[in-house]
Amino acid sequence: MNFESIDQIISTFADRILTPEQQQFQLVVSHWPDVVGKSAQAHTRPITIYRNILQVATSSAAWTQELTFQRKQIVRHLNQWLCDPLHDIKFSTAQWSHGSSLLAAGALTETTDINQHPSTIPVKGEFGTIDQVISEDVAAPKTPIAAWEIWASKIQRRSQHWPLCPQCHSPTPPGELERWSVCHICFAELLTPDKCQDE
């Protein structure tokens, strides 16, 4: 019996399943660390190829600027492995997800990142639990209105023991009150200048 490695099996199926554009993108992703180096790799992530232009997310504007100056050289190196050559690379911080990149790099643990957000709902604690909401067996709603009613009742049950925002009197996750003294909506309104003042 002839055994093949997992890599050989996956590459065989990938050739059959993936479109040529997806195969090209896979090649870019696999060669990206060799082309840009370890330090730049930790701060970049290829997103897609559209009309032969590679879109790359970067962790900061500084990395965007640095790599934009090197883009012709990067394109030249990547094109050595591609059948359909790239014309250019666009670097942007717009699609960078800071938490997930640090998580992937091992700088954060998933629980640290999620539990430190002020809007996190306590799973168990003095402000109620969400265990009963998660474990409920609810039949699939037949209409959008029924779905909304189920969702609204879950939210109401989940938040009934939460403290109220002192400004709008809505139930508010305790972390938001600890951080901003008001709910996130009221806090955002405090930061937004009044539009009527300009008129």
Side-chain angles (χ1 to χ4, degrees):
M1 184 179 250
N2 188 10
F3 291 104
E4 294 182 30
S5 72
I6 286 287
D7 290 337
Q8 292 172 331
I9 294 170
I10 290 174
S11 65
T12 302
F13 282 112
D15 292 342
R16 294 178 192 167
I17 296 171
L18 298 178
T19 66
E21 293 82 12
Q22 291 169 328
Q23 290 176 14
Q24 178 147 323
F25 182 71
Q26 290 297 329
L27 281 171
V28 168
V29 170
S30 65
H31 291 289
W32 186 253
D34 301 327
V35 173
V36 298
K38 292 272 186 201
S39 60
Q41 177 200 2
H43 297 277
T44 58
R45 187 171 44 255
I47 300 297
T48 188
I49 298 174
Y50 180 71
R51 295 187 178 183
N52 293 65
I53 298 175
L54 176 64
Q55 307 288 326
V56 178
T58 57
S59 64
S60 68
W63 278 105
T64 299
Q65 183 176 13
E66 174 70 27
L67 293 169
T68 298
F69 291 132
Q70 298 177 23
R71 74 181 193 277
K72 298 243 186 253
Q73 181 182 2
I74 295 170
V75 166
R76 195 172 340 106
H77 285 294
L78 287 172
N79 282 342
Q80 294 174 6
W81 291 286
L82 304 176
C83 298
D84 191 13
L86 296 172
H87 299 313
D88 202 359
I89 301 178
K90 299 289 183 194
F91 296 97
S92 172
T93 58
Q95 294 184 351
W96 182 261
S97 172
H98 184 69
S100 66
S101 64
L102 290 175
L103 187 61
L108 288 177
T109 63
E110 188 173 353
T111 54
T112 303
D113 190 37
I114 292 170
N115 291 335
Q116 288 184 352
H117 193 278
S119 298
T120 299
I121 301 163
V123 176
K124 291 182 180 175
E126 62 182 298
F127 298 106
T129 67
I130 61 171
D131 293 338
Q132 68 273 17
V133 175
I134 294 170
S135 64
E136 287 177 354
D137 283 332
V138 177
K142 300 198 185 313
T143 66
I145 293 172
W148 184 86
E149 288 172 349
I150 291 169
W151 173 82
S153 70
K154 284 183 180 182
I155 295 298
Q156 188 176 22
R157 281 192 308 266
R158 181 176 70 189
S159 62
Q160 69 184 353
H161 299 293
W162 286 355
L164 298 179
C165 170
Q167 192 162 334
C168 69
H169 306 290
S170 297
T172 305
E176 291 180 13
L177 292 176
E178 288 172 17
R179 184 167 186 175
W180 301 306
S181 302
V182 291
C183 70
H184 72 277
I185 295 171
C186 292
F187 183 73
E189 287 176 0
L190 292 172
L191 295 179
T192 306
D194 190 8
K195 295 178 183 175
C196 298
Q197 290 178 346
D198 298 335
E199 296 177 0

